[in-house]
Amino acid sequence: MRRFSEMRWEIRQTTKEKIMGIFSMILSLLSGVALFLFGMSLMGDGLKMVAGNKLEAFLYRMTNTPLKGVALGTGVTSVIQSSSATTVMVIGFVNSGMMKLKQAIGIIMGANIGTSITGWILCLSYIDGKNGIAKILSTATISAVVAIIGIKRSVHKNIGNIMLGFAILMTGMQTMSGAVSPLKDSPTFTNMLTMFSNPLIGILVGIAFTAVLQSASATVGVLQALSVTGILTFSSAFPIVLGIGVGAACPVLISAIGANKNGKRTALVYLINDLFGLILWSVIFYTVNAVVHFGFMDMIMSPVAIALLNTVFRVATVCVL
């Protein structure tokens, strides 16, 4: 009887430890996401303030051809790190009558490409920095130097905010990666990622997660953090990437609630572009895979592979459009 009581106590203790471990991991992951979003917001706001009214004026002037619009949307979104922010600005122009809907379409397409640049910036946070040039370019070194410079922002406040935002963003990525790294030895987590290999579930997860975070870049960042576990495969990552764009349309649609008819149409164009890419490539890819069975479906994804997949998907969609 005593032995039985001891076993029950040990099981309870083990269960408590597991629950506390899971809670601690989720808390660390969420704090990393919070730092990431705050850093991205601070950096984007600083960049917009540095550009001032010139950014909006430039955005308005350089939209006389669709190709210029795509290039401009890509460039502006790469700078301010938010396709939603670019699109909301464009909705404002269309709503006020300063820009026609056909001018806005090119910028919105470009914004979908520009938002993928953040994934490449985040790849810097995975340089291990063990020796040589890698040590100089490591996240710890870059973040420390940029943060120190950014603190002295009394003279150039906005430039300082950009630097601090970048440092906080990188710190957030490291926090997320550190939180999920123990999961590589968890069979439960492995089974969960296998579940994401189901295209429909993966797409819905991508949509829902991005809608909650209201940032495509943040979802890509979380996906890159998960990839450091070494068990995220192409088959799990691809459907999530497909769903990210549609989820990112949520804040844009919300921002258009008070707009006029053309303002609402502009927001709808953003959603339609992403829905088009989701439907087109999912149908083509999974139909062809059912016939030829791609050999790379079980390929282990790295942060760079995630960034590349996201960029190729978005560029291919815009090219077809």
Side-chain angles (χ1 to χ4, degrees):
M1 190 69 181
R2 185 179 176 183
R3 178 61 182 165
F4 180 71
S5 299
E6 288 176 355
M7 286 177 65
R8 285 182 62 187
W9 183 83
E10 287 176 3
I11 291 170
R12 284 178 183 174
Q13 286 297 109
T14 304
T15 304
K16 284 181 181 178
E17 287 175 5
K18 285 182 178 179
I19 291 171
M20 289 301 294
I22 292 169
F23 180 75
S24 176
M25 184 203 69
I26 292 173
L27 198 62
S28 297
L29 180 62
L30 291 176
S31 66
V33 172
L35 284 171
F36 178 92
L37 290 172
F38 176 67
M40 192 166 64
S41 175
L42 187 63
M43 188 167 63
D45 289 344
L47 285 161
K48 281 188 281 186
M49 291 301 292
V50 168
N53 294 329
K54 294 177 183 177
L55 179 63
E56 293 188 3
F58 188 66
L59 194 64
Y60 170 68
R61 286 200 310 268
M62 299 294 292
T63 53
N64 54 344
T65 67
L67 194 58
K68 280 185 181 179
V70 171
L72 184 64
T74 302
V76 169
T77 307
S78 299
V79 169
I80 65 176
Q81 301 289 302
S82 173
S83 58
S84 299
T86 303
T87 307
V88 168
M89 274 196 287
V90 172
I91 289 172
F93 291 142
V94 175
N95 191 55
S96 64
M98 292 173 63
M99 184 183 289
K100 294 180 180 178
L101 179 58
K102 67 177 182 179
Q103 291 176 282
I105 293 173
I107 298 176
I108 291 170
M109 288 182 183
N112 275 318
I113 297 175
T115 193
S116 68
I117 301 300
T118 309
W120 291 103
I121 295 172
L122 296 178
C123 290
L124 289 172
S125 65
Y126 296 100
I127 298 174
D128 57 20
K130 289 180 180 177
N131 49 54
I133 191 71
K135 191 171 185 178
I136 297 172
L137 293 174
S138 68
T139 306
T141 305
I142 293 173
S143 298
V145 172
V146 171
I148 290 168
I149 297 171
I151 288 169
K152 297 182 178 182
R153 63 185 193 277
S154 55
V155 180
H156 302 290
K157 181 180 178 181
N158 295 323
I159 295 175
N161 283 342
I162 296 168
M163 292 180 171
L164 279 176
F166 178 81
I168 293 169
L169 182 146
M170 287 296 189
T171 303
M173 276 305 301
Q174 285 296 297
T175 305
M176 283 193 283
S177 300
V180 300
S181 59
L183 292 174
K184 61 187 175 185
D185 300 320
S186 170
T188 305
F189 180 68
T190 306
N191 294 334
M192 185 181 71
L193 286 183
T194 305
M195 181 181 69
F196 291 163
S197 298
N198 181 311
L200 184 59
I201 294 175
I203 288 168
L204 291 175
V205 166
I207 293 172
F209 205 71
T210 310
V212 170
L213 294 179
Q214 297 201 8
S215 172
S217 299
T219 307
V220 171
V222 172
L223 207 55
Q224 287 178 304
L226 289 174
S227 71
V228 301
T229 61
I231 53 178
L232 181 66
T233 61
F234 182 92
S235 62
S236 298
F238 183 63
I240 297 175
V241 170
L242 289 176
I244 285 173
V246 177
C250 287
V252 175
L253 294 172
I254 292 169
S255 72
I257 288 173
N260 60 24
K261 187 187 292 185
N262 280 334
K264 287 183 171 70
R265 285 172 175 169
T266 306
L268 194 60
V269 166
Y270 186 91
L271 175 63
I272 289 171
N273 281 355
D274 289 315
L275 271 175
F276 174 81
L278 164 62
I279 295 169
L280 175 71
W281 298 119
S282 59
V283 169
I284 291 175
F285 181 84
Y286 289 108
T287 301
V288 175
N289 182 55
V291 177
V292 301
H293 302 292
F294 294 127
F296 54 80
M297 294 297 283
D298 294 325
M299 179 183 75
I300 301 299
M301 300 296 282
S302 66
V304 174
I306 297 289
L308 181 62
L309 173 62
N310 187 40
T311 301
V312 169
F313 162 64
R314 291 175 180 276
V315 171
T317 301
V318 170
C319 286
V320 173
L321 285 166

